[in-house]
Amino acid sequence: MRGANPIRVIIVGFGVVGRGVARSMLMERERMLSTGMDLRLVGIADLWGCMVDEGGLDIAELCSLDGVLARKTSIDKNMSSYDLIEKADYDILVETTPTNKDTGEPGLGHIKAALKGGKHVVTSNKGPIVLAYGELSKLAEENNVRLCYEATVGGAMPIINLAREALAGNTIISVKGIFNGTCNYILTRMVDTKLPYEHALSEAQELGYAEADPTYDVEGYDTASKLVIIANTIFGMNSKLSDVEVMGITRVTPEAIKLAGDSGYSIKLIGEVSRDGSLSVAPRMVPKNHQLNVHGTLNAALIETDLAGEITVTGKGAGSIEAASAIMGDIASIWIELYKT
Ligand code: HSE
């Protein structure tokens, strides 16, 4: 137990999500302090270099930076993300670099280095959890640290911790829903404003919802990645992306959307994972009065259980502050479990 000492955090990947985490630390600071939780941001890294201050970086100043750290003169351009992860003095690595579904890098290497060094890891990065959940959770266990990844699925919508903690007394039979904010935003804009697909996608990119490579979103691989994470971490399966039947939204036409609408349905990109091991992503017709018929960047998940029956959750699935909400929740639960006195 560290008593009332500060919990020292480093953020690796200071893009949309990383900056959201820094902003949230500032926004929540007074409330967290009143509960005894003193979070201190002691280092950040992005492609251009690192900034470190053991006394705590000036978050307000960092948040006022428009874009990359390279604009900051105090950045150390010779310090790599690994230098920061392996040599800095901190408690929790927040890993928010962009996802790579094929290699998991650079996030996978970052997470392994931190866990091996005895640091807790909180991440929004899907690639490493999709590709190496078993190995990473074993590393965390061997080094007696936590690996938390609520932000990898559903953004601000709670699902991983909900299923693993609040619903731990149930057998979960299936999870299905909308797990990609970008696709839901595009489909919503195509209906509400009759915006062409390409324009709606550009908007989603400008608003920071889409992946660095937006084909992950629209071709369904982002949803598929989230299903693999649900399958492996909630159902204890050993699934890979190649186990998921995937169809994205690129072939959904305005005519199909109109036809569905006229018959009382919305077209939504639905992901589904069942206890029997089947995983699929495809555009589906959802009745307009169904609980999964949510709009904009909202995600929704319908969890089918034996004792509780159906549980539905919904929340903003993409965005800077929304992903930060899940990351802050994971940081807080590490603090409550290990540091709170
Ligand atoms: N690109 C993702 C989405 C971000 O649109 O849902 C959150 O995982």
Side-chain angles (χ1 to χ4, degrees):
M1 293 277 191
R2 289 172 52 87
N5 289 339
I7 308 295
R8 297 155 308 168
V9 173
I10 62 170
I11 300 176
V12 172
F14 207 62
V16 172
V17 178
R19 288 201 300 272
V21 175
R23 257 197 309 146
S24 307
M25 287 174 71
L26 195 61
M27 285 162 67
E28 301 299 321
R29 180 157 178 78
E30 290 308 315
R31 182 191 56 79
M32 289 188 309
L33 274 179
S34 73
T35 68
M37 181 172 157
D38 181 4
L39 273 192
R40 187 173 291 174
L41 182 61
V42 296
I44 52 179
D46 76 3
L47 281 176
W48 287 268
C50 298
M51 284 175 67
V52 187
D53 186 338
E54 288 181 10
L57 291 163
D58 182 341
I59 299 183
E61 195 200 349
L62 279 177
C63 291
S64 70
L65 282 181
D66 173 21
V68 297
L69 287 188
R71 289 170 214 260
K72 192 86 185 88
T73 45
S74 52
I75 188 170
D76 183 342
K77 292 186 175 141
N78 296 317
M79 189 176 188
S80 74
S81 50
Y82 280 96
D83 293 332
L84 180 69
I85 292 168
E86 288 168 351
K87 296 182 193 142
D89 210 3
Y90 66 98
D91 303 293
I92 301 179
L93 162 68
V94 172
E95 216 292 338
T96 50
T97 59
T99 275
N100 180 310
K101 72 178 170 54
D102 301 314
T103 64
E105 299 296 353
L108 184 55
H110 290 158
I111 294 174
K112 281 188 192 170
L115 295 174
K116 283 182 190 159
K119 314 294 187 189
H120 308 293
V121 173
V122 176
T123 188
S124 58
N125 194 335
K126 287 153 270 199
I129 306 298
V130 169
L131 293 166
Y133 172 68
E135 181 189 354
L136 295 178
S137 52
K138 190 157 167 270
L139 256 185
E141 208 179 310
E142 284 167 3
N143 289 283
N144 201 22
V145 288
R146 299 288 174 272
L147 168 67
C148 303
Y149 43 85
E150 176 68 55
T152 58
V153 183
M157 176 183 80
I159 177 140
I160 302 287
N161 298 329
L162 174 74
R164 296 183 60 164
E165 291 166 18
L167 296 174
N170 287 253
T171 299
I172 295 179
I173 298 156
S174 68
V175 179
K176 78 169 165 195
I178 295 172
F179 298 105
N180 185 272
T182 300
C183 288
N184 211 31
Y185 180 84
I186 293 171
L187 293 172
T188 303
R189 294 290 277 160
M190 284 172 77
V191 172
D192 289 354
T193 55
K194 311 280 179 288
L195 210 64
Y197 168 86
E198 291 76 16
H199 289 201
L201 171 58
S202 302
E203 273 191 4
Q205 286 179 285
E206 274 158 31
L207 293 165
Y209 303 145
E211 296 300 296
D213 176 354
T215 57
Y216 284 11
D217 296 291
V218 295
E219 289 179 359
Y221 290 105
D222 180 75
T223 302
S225 298
K226 290 161 178 167
L227 291 187
V228 170
I229 294 172
I230 292 172
N232 295 352
T233 67
I234 297 179
F235 291 98
M237 295 178 193
N238 190 18
S239 311
K240 303 179 291 302
L241 257 187
S242 55
D243 297 325
V244 191
E245 268 180 55
V246 188
M247 187 192 289
I249 61 162
T250 49
R251 278 178 284 169
V252 176
T253 59
E255 293 72 32
I257 290 176
K258 182 170 183 323
L259 267 178
D262 291 347
S263 326
Y265 292 87
S266 298
I267 295 183
K268 298 290 180 189
L269 187 68
I270 299 290
E272 181 162 14
V273 48
S274 302
R275 195 160 197 85
D276 66 12
S278 62
L279 296 100
S280 65
V281 180
R284 307 238 185 250
M285 308 255 280
V286 176
K288 284 188 178 166
N289 60 0
H290 192 275
Q291 62 264 48
L292 291 182
N293 186 31
V294 297
H295 303 301
T297 59
L298 284 176
N299 280 197
L302 199 162
I303 308 170
E304 190 191 354
T305 71
D306 59 347
L307 306 181
E310 289 184 351
I311 300 280
T312 308
V313 277
T314 179
K316 287 184 186 159
S320 171
I321 265 319
E322 293 79 2
S325 157
I327 288 174
M328 293 294 282
D330 279 342
I331 293 174
S333 53
I334 292 173
W335 176 72
I336 291 165
E337 190 186 339
L338 301 174
Y339 295 93
K340 190 176 181 189
T341 49

